Amino acid sequence: MDLEDQEILQKRARMIRGRKKEKASPVESLLAVEFMLIPEKYAFDSIYVSEVMMLHNLTTIPGTPSFIVGIMNVRGSIISVIDLKIFFNLPMKGISSFNKLLIVKHQQMEFGIITDEIVGTRQIDIHTLSAPPGTLRGVGADFIQGITPDGTILLNASNIFSDNSLIINQK
Amino acid sequence: MDKKQEAFLLELINDFKVEAAEQHQTIINGLVALEKGPPTAAFQQLVETTFREIHSMKGAARAVNQTEIGRLCQGMESVFHQVKSGDLALTSVHFDALYQATDLLAVMLAEIDKKEKSFGANTLAQMMKRLDALTSGEIPPKPMEFPALPRVQDQPKTEKQNQPVPKPVVAVPPAADTVRIATAKLGTLLHEAEEFISVKATLGYYIQEIQKQQNQRLSGIIREMKQFHHALSRMVDDLLLDIKTTLLYPFSTLLDIFPKIVRDLGKEYKKEINLTIQGGEIEIDRRILEEIKDPLIHIIRNCIDHGLETPEIRKEAGKAPSGILEMIVKKDTGRHVILTIRDDGTGIDRKKVLQSALKMGIVTSESAERMTDQEVFSLIFRSGISTSQFITDISGRGLGMAIVAEKISKLGGDIATSSIPGQGAAFTITLPVTISNFRGILVQISEQFFIIPTTSVERAIRIRKKGIRSVETSPMISLNDESIALVRLGDVLGIPPLKSKTTEDLPVPVLILSLAPKKIAFIVDYIHGEQEGMVKDMGPQLIHVRNISGITVLGSGQIIPILNIPELMDSATHAFSPGAEQQPAYTESLSDHQKYILVAEDSITLRILLKNILESSGYMVKTAVDGMEAFQFLKNEVFDLVVSDVEMPRMNGFDLTSRIRNDKTLSETPVILVTALDSPEDRQKGIESGADAYIIKGNFEQSNLLDTIHRLI
């Protein structure tokens, strides 16, 4: 192989490397919905959020673990409502109709996450995230993707959707 | 292959699967019929039909690259080719091989989509070898069991293998007016139509809510809305009924599998069986057909294993060597289908059933003697009862018939049995033509609501504390000489009871749930009457929650969990000390505590409606068609309360009330007048006659009546 050929190959290699980087960049920041689980601020990747609504007509189901608050009728389809506070060792307080609900959906899985308040949406840069505190262990730690410089906790949507402990099958 | 082509091939394969399943069944039917040894003409026709089906399956299989299926068909086809040409006479050796080939074919068809096949290349090769042996004459042909086929002169033996298949000789069902639709699509359609039930219920609910406003200006609109609601209800009901009819399938689609099953089992148990099937053309919801398949197979196995005798025993008993087994489908006048399965075997042995029941402690030896045959035979539907001394792998464990009965009752059907010793037994299964909407009793515990399927509720009663006795620390009640364990539904579901305001011994509502053979009485806080609706699941996250089978949505939009009765009974049983259920209970009869209400109403609809409302709230009810009849009943029996219409023939409600008030023994009985008359004068007249309450039908609500009754007694 002569020098000229080698140069062409190297050029090509550089091009391919460059292309890869270009493709990867959009994932590095994401639009998230911010909400309060008092006293902390959390965020969920907005591409999974189908809507935000008030809590209404909640029906509790006996025999379900405490993170399942109940089920709700959202325009004809039945979804369960979960309280994430248990996983993050946050103080539990009573649920009222003031609570707002974040409906999240990924493929077949859909449920409502109960919040104390919806803050709004914001762009989060993945690079700026720091690791969750070491004090948090177990399921709670898996559910966190990272913490923004101003202290908002970004939830790890794909881990939450794929976690089998959230699915109740008492057969 | 590009995407489009791939999708096309997939569609083709799906079509092939449907077509092949039908062809497979026709081939089996052909084999079973041929084995019976029909007369020459019919024999030829059957050979022809079967040959043609195999041939076309071969062609179709090759078209969709199912080469293995194609090869197997080829092997079977060669056998039939020789039979057709008269070179081969079918004997039991041939039939056995051909049946085995169809079994393998069934496996292959079922596993088309599977990457890992349960059969290897070896299985197919061996099968092919067996089939080849039949045609190559390696097996010495046995003497002809069938009448010799007449040689057709103008059809020389040298006909070619791939000669075009002759025209069909049997009638093919007309295809012109039918379309083939995937059942999944019909299912979706039905599902969507069912959603309208909740639209109907919701509209009814809103009308009721608006009516409560008592706004004069709205009354015109409300009237119009009511008419609209009425029309909508009818349209929804019609639509639902029509869609359900599209899901009807002829019974034969299920019954067709039985000739082969009966043949195989007959061989296994060395019994000769003559199977008759009638009424295969009668249609029924295909979902019901799917559900009753296993129960039917179980009953047929029971008939063959326990019922029919071997030829030797039959001869001794003076019967024909081959037993008769019948499956007869009939339509009754209503929306029901009756399937009778009958055999002419030994019948059900009363003694053996009773022995088994005694051992289980279900009956006592004294009561056993008094039981009628009918009562004894019905015991076989309770678990643990078997007449077989031997436990075989197919029957004799005593669980089967209980499961059969449960499955049939789940479908809204019923099973009964009758038997004459030495002459046989019959099972009569009544099934609804379509699956009906779900009906359940709405109950309340603390602040939560639940629905209990009406089919599992045996009855609703009210009890007082003194009616409860405890047996080895387990509370029990007794009802019609039967002791039934008593639990709080709230305790089973883990719902803490509300702190009671009074220590007064108020009667509490109790629902007696039954799931053969178990019966448990559940205490609830309130019974709110019956609801109709459709069952939904609880969303993707709650796949299965213990004690709960799904939910239904009320007209108000409220979600109500439906209780899973088998699991609930099981959970409740764990709350007792073991064996407590079978303990004799020394309890006093409850009949003193259950309130007895007399309803006088001349309209049959309202009479039944009132009876249902009251009974589902735990009252015992007797009905009278007018005041005169009601008064006669009052003279003969003691009632706790009378609910009466005002306008009735012979004696109206006012007169009935006055007569009650003027009668020495009856004067204390509370009377509630329920009426359409709503003028101040009528109300005055009602009070003058001595009625305790006056309820207007126009804005009549269940709870209003029940509250009033509750206050009075």
Side-chain angles (χ1 to χ4, degrees):
Chain A
M1 201 189 292
D2 59 29
L3 233 122
E4 210 178 325
D5 278 359
Q6 237 173 18
E7 221 175 70
I8 291 170
L9 283 176
Q10 271 174 359
K11 218 173 171 179
R12 249 189 231 166
R14 271 198 301 277
M15 257 172 68
I16 290 166
R17 218 172 25 234
R19 226 186 274 155
K20 255 195 180 160
K21 223 176 186 175
E22 247 170 53
K23 255 190 182 168
S25 65
V27 193
E28 314 236 313
S29 115
L30 55 85
L31 188 68
V33 177
E34 267 190 312
F35 57 93
M36 296 298 294
L37 293 179
I38 291 170
E40 292 170 340
K41 205 191 269 178
Y42 286 79
F44 206 93
D45 191 341
S46 67
I47 62 164
Y48 301 113
V49 178
S50 55
E51 67 184 295
V52 170
M53 64 192 305
M54 300 291 277
L55 195 67
H56 67 91
N57 265 346
L58 189 78
T59 299
T60 49
I61 302 291
T64 48
S66 52
F67 67 84
I68 303 270
V69 185
I71 55 176
M72 243 175 83
N73 187 356
V74 179
R75 276 183 290 286
S77 70
I78 307 296
I79 61 162
S80 43
V81 175
I82 65 171
D83 190 348
L84 291 175
K85 285 184 177 177
I86 284 170
F87 301 110
F88 305 128
N89 305 325
L90 293 172
M92 302 286 282
K93 61 169 191 127
I95 287 155
S96 72
S97 54
F98 296 115
N99 287 90
K100 285 220 177 93
L101 208 57
L102 206 63
I103 313 281
V104 294
K105 189 178 162 119
H106 176 54
Q107 288 165 358
Q108 298 300 311
M109 186 51 77
E110 185 179 20
F111 50 80
I113 295 172
I114 208 154
T115 74
D116 290 315
E117 199 184 321
I118 303 284
V119 179
T121 52
R122 67 177 276 187
Q123 207 74 33
I124 291 177
D125 191 348
I126 302 290
H127 289 302
T128 64
L129 292 178
S130 54
T135 48
L136 202 59
R137 285 215 176 77
V139 184
D142 287 344
F143 285 177
I144 293 174
Q145 190 171 345
I147 300 169
T148 63
D150 60 349
T152 295
I153 300 158
L154 178 67
L155 294 173
N156 187 330
S158 60
N159 279 2
I160 290 178
F161 283 121
S162 63
D163 197 308
N164 277 334
S165 62
L166 287 187
I167 292 169
I168 313 303
N169 190 354
Q170 299 167 341
K171 227 167 195 167
Chain B
M1 207 184 325
D2 67 31
K3 275 264 159 63
K4 221 169 153 188
Q5 248 182 322
E6 219 172 295
F8 179 64
L9 186 63
L10 196 74
E11 204 176 298
L12 267 185
I13 286 183
N14 282 332
D15 288 342
F16 170 70
K17 278 193 282 192
V18 175
E19 190 190 7
E22 283 169 13
Q23 286 165 337
H24 182 250
Q25 192 55 58
T26 317
I27 295 167
I28 290 174
N29 291 353
L31 288 174
V32 174
L34 282 171
E35 201 180 13
K36 281 190 182 150
T40 317
F43 178 86
Q44 268 185 313
Q45 205 177 73
L46 280 164
V47 169
E48 193 58 60
T49 321
T50 316
F51 172 80
R52 202 178 52 247
E53 291 296 322
I54 298 171
H55 179 82
S56 41
M57 197 200 281
K58 180 186 77 177
R62 286 180 177 169
V64 291
N65 297 333
Q66 298 296 322
T67 42
E68 286 178 328
I69 294 174
R71 264 184 70 202
L72 185 57
C73 288
Q74 167 84 63
M76 292 168 76
E77 191 184 347
S78 335
V79 176
F80 267 88
H81 194 260
Q82 289 203 4
V83 176
K84 222 162 79 90
S85 59
D87 290 343
L88 187 71
L90 289 167
T91 67
S92 61
V93 183
H94 300 102
F95 280 113
D96 284 344
L98 285 167
Y99 278 122
Q100 225 174 43
T102 58
D103 285 344
L104 179 60
L105 204 55
V107 176
M108 289 170 136
L109 288 172
E111 294 182 356
I112 285 180
D113 297 329
K114 282 196 187 148
K115 285 231 167 62
E116 300 208 357
K117 313 273 182 187
S118 63
F119 58 92
N122 206 16
T123 324
L124 181 61
Q126 272 178 2
M127 193 67 239
M128 291 305 292
K129 231 170 146 184
R130 241 186 114 180
L131 289 173
D132 286 346
L134 296 179
T135 47
S136 65
E138 269 173 39
I139 298 164
K142 288 189 182 170
M144 299 254 272
E145 284 177 8
F146 302 112
L149 285 173
R151 281 285 150 76
V152 183
Q153 286 301 325
D154 53 2
Q155 240 183 331
K157 248 182 77 186
T158 50
E159 62 181 31
K160 279 175 202 141
Q161 180 101 6
N162 49 6
Q163 194 194 356
V165 179
K167 274 242 164 235
V169 259
V170 285
V172 174
D177 294 343
T178 51
V179 279
R180 184 170 268 172
I181 302 174
T183 42
K185 281 185 191 166
L186 286 179
T188 315
L189 216 56
L190 176 68
H191 188 76
E192 281 162 5
E194 276 175 342
E195 291 280 346
F196 280 110
I197 298 174
S198 62
V199 174
K200 178 176 106 176
T202 310
L203 186 63
Y205 171 79
Y206 283 137
I207 292 173
Q208 238 178 44
E209 288 295 300
I210 296 175
Q211 249 176 341
K212 282 187 193 157
Q213 305 295 319
Q214 303 258 341
N215 187 329
Q216 284 297 322
R217 278 186 302 175
L218 284 179
S219 66
I221 298 176
I222 292 172
R223 208 172 39 243
E224 300 261 317
M225 270 176 81
K226 271 187 174 168
Q227 273 171 14
F228 173 64
H229 182 231
H230 192 74
L232 175 83
S233 300
R234 216 194 52 231
M235 280 156 70
V236 169
D237 293 345
D238 285 353
L239 174 68
L240 217 56
L241 192 71
D242 287 346
I243 291 186
K244 278 180 181 172
T245 9
T246 64
L247 283 164
L248 298 185
Y249 254 47
F251 238 102
S252 57
T253 49
L254 171 62
L255 296 180
D256 278 354
I257 63 169
F258 284 97
K260 178 153 190 296
I261 291 176
V262 168
R263 179 199 178 268
D264 290 350
L265 287 171
K267 280 225 151 174
E268 198 178 326
Y269 288 92
K270 304 206 166 39
K271 288 171 185 175
E272 285 175 23
I273 304 157
N274 214 331
L275 176 70
T276 318
I277 292 176
Q278 273 174 34
E281 74 285 353
I282 290 167
E283 291 183 318
I284 189 166
D285 194 313
R286 65 184 301 277
R287 293 168 295 174
I288 294 179
L289 282 183
E290 275 161 20
E291 289 293 316
I292 58 159
K293 183 179 161 193
D294 291 341
L296 285 192
I297 292 175
H298 188 86
I299 293 172
I300 289 292
R301 284 178 158 176
N302 257 304
C303 289
I304 295 170
D305 190 10
H306 301 323
L308 293 173
E309 316 91 329
T310 53
E312 300 80 54
I313 297 175
R314 289 183 66 89
K315 269 181 215 156
E316 273 173 40
K319 293 181 186 175
S322 65
I324 295 171
L325 189 58
E326 292 176 330
M327 300 178 88
I328 296 165
V329 185
K330 279 198 182 124
K331 220 173 165 151
D332 88 345
T333 44
R335 297 194 54 77
H336 282 93
V337 165
I338 297 163
L339 167 63
T340 312
I341 298 172
R342 188 181 295 124
D343 70 58
D344 73 337
T346 51
I348 301 169
D349 192 332
R350 180 189 162 103
K351 242 194 255 157
K352 280 185 192 164
V353 174
L354 282 176
Q355 267 170 15
S356 188
L358 279 170
K359 219 162 44 185
M360 294 287 297
I362 293 170
V363 293
T364 58
S365 43
E366 300 92 66
S367 63
E369 277 170 34
R370 277 182 282 129
M371 286 172 88
T372 63
D373 281 355
Q374 196 56 46
E375 284 168 336
V376 173
F377 296 148
S378 67
L379 284 174
I380 63 166
F381 298 115
R382 301 180 66 157
S383 68
I385 307 271
S386 171
T387 58
S388 174
Q389 270 110 334
F390 311 103
I391 293 180
T392 62
D393 61 334
I394 60 159
S395 48
R397 271 179 288 238
L399 280 172
M401 288 312 271
I403 294 169
V404 167
E406 192 199 319
K407 206 146 196 192
I408 288 169
S409 93
K410 247 189 196 166
L411 291 168
D414 187 46
I415 181 166
T417 176
S418 63
S419 171
I420 301 169
Q423 290 183 36
F427 294 90
T428 310
I429 302 166
T430 311
L431 293 164
V433 175
T434 56
I435 290 180
S436 45
N437 289 325
F438 167 83
R439 299 188 77 86
I441 309 280
L442 183 65
V443 299
Q444 188 180 352
I445 305 159
S446 298
E447 284 163 334
Q448 295 191 40
F449 293 86
F450 295 95
I451 281 191
I452 295 170
T454 307
T455 48
S456 5
V457 179
E458 187 161 292
R459 62 190 297 189
I461 55 168
R462 278 172 180 274
I463 57 161
R464 279 176 201 274
K465 266 206 194 97
K466 60 178 174 177
I468 304 170
R469 291 283 175 277
S470 82
V471 178
E472 297 189 349
T473 73
S474 299
M476 296 282 231
I477 56 168
S478 93
L479 196 69
N480 306 336
D481 297 335
E482 196 178 4
S483 326
I484 301 166
L486 179 76
V487 286
R488 285 187 165 279
L489 184 55
D491 289 348
V492 179
L493 296 175
I495 300 167
L498 287 180
K499 288 209 176 77
S500 77
K501 287 154 239 154
T502 54
T503 49
E504 212 185 317
D505 183 15
L506 287 172
V508 288
V510 168
L511 282 177
I512 295 172
L513 305 190
S514 84
L515 181 74
K518 241 193 265 178
K519 260 185 213 172
I520 298 176
F522 288 90
I523 300 175
V524 297
D525 290 347
Y526 293 102
I527 297 173
H528 291 279
E530 205 177 27
Q531 291 284 336
E532 185 189 2
M534 31 176 307
V535 185
K536 285 188 165 186
D537 59 25
M538 291 181 282
Q541 196 180 6
L542 304 182
I543 291 166
H544 188 104
V545 175
R546 192 166 166 83
N547 300 327
I548 293 166
S549 60
I551 58 105
T552 189
V553 181
L554 294 189
S556 60
Q558 197 180 358
I559 300 175
I560 313 289
I562 298 167
L563 297 178
N564 178 332
I565 303 308
E567 282 187 3
L568 187 73
M569 300 283 258
D570 190 48
S571 303
T573 316
H574 290 306
F576 310 137
S577 55
E581 263 180 293
Q582 265 114 48
Q583 291 285 338
Y586 308 99
T587 62
E588 79 184 49
S589 168
L590 250 173
S591 50
D592 317 330
H593 306 296
Q594 196 183 2
K595 298 291 183 192
Y596 196 18
I597 295 178
L598 179 64
V599 170
E601 167 67 66
D602 59 332
S603 144
I604 181 159
T605 318
L606 280 171
R607 200 158 63 228
I608 290 167
L609 177 73
L610 282 167
K611 188 173 190 283
N612 277 348
I613 292 171
L614 296 174
E615 278 182 347
S616 55
S617 303
Y619 297 108
M620 229 158 84
V621 178
K622 186 162 183 139
T623 56
V625 295
D626 58 30
M628 189 76 90
E629 194 181 69
F631 197 69
Q632 275 159 11
F633 288 157
L634 282 161
K635 279 292 191 188
N636 298 328
E637 286 179 81
V638 180
F639 292 93
D640 294 297
L641 183 132
V642 177
V643 174
S644 173
D645 184 18
V646 171
E647 302 245 311
M648 286 183 292
R650 295 206 291 171
M651 186 194 287
N652 71 24
F654 296 138
D655 293 340
L656 174 66
T657 315
S658 332
R659 293 207 40 188
I660 291 172
R661 288 293 167 257
N662 294 328
D663 189 289
K664 240 187 272 164
T665 51
L666 299 175
S667 62
E668 294 297 304
T669 313
V671 178
I672 298 175
L673 289 176
V674 178
T675 176
L677 303 171
D678 184 24
S679 66
E681 301 90 71
D682 282 323
R683 207 182 284 255
Q684 188 58 37
K685 224 168 151 189
I687 293 165
E688 273 167 15
S689 66
D692 296 87
Y694 199 86
I695 292 173
I696 313 299
K697 274 179 199 165
N699 53 7
F700 160 77
E701 277 177 59
Q702 284 184 21
S703 56
N704 195 352
L705 174 67
L706 294 176
D707 282 350
T708 313
I709 293 174
H710 203 69
R711 273 204 308 275
L712 292 170
I713 52 174

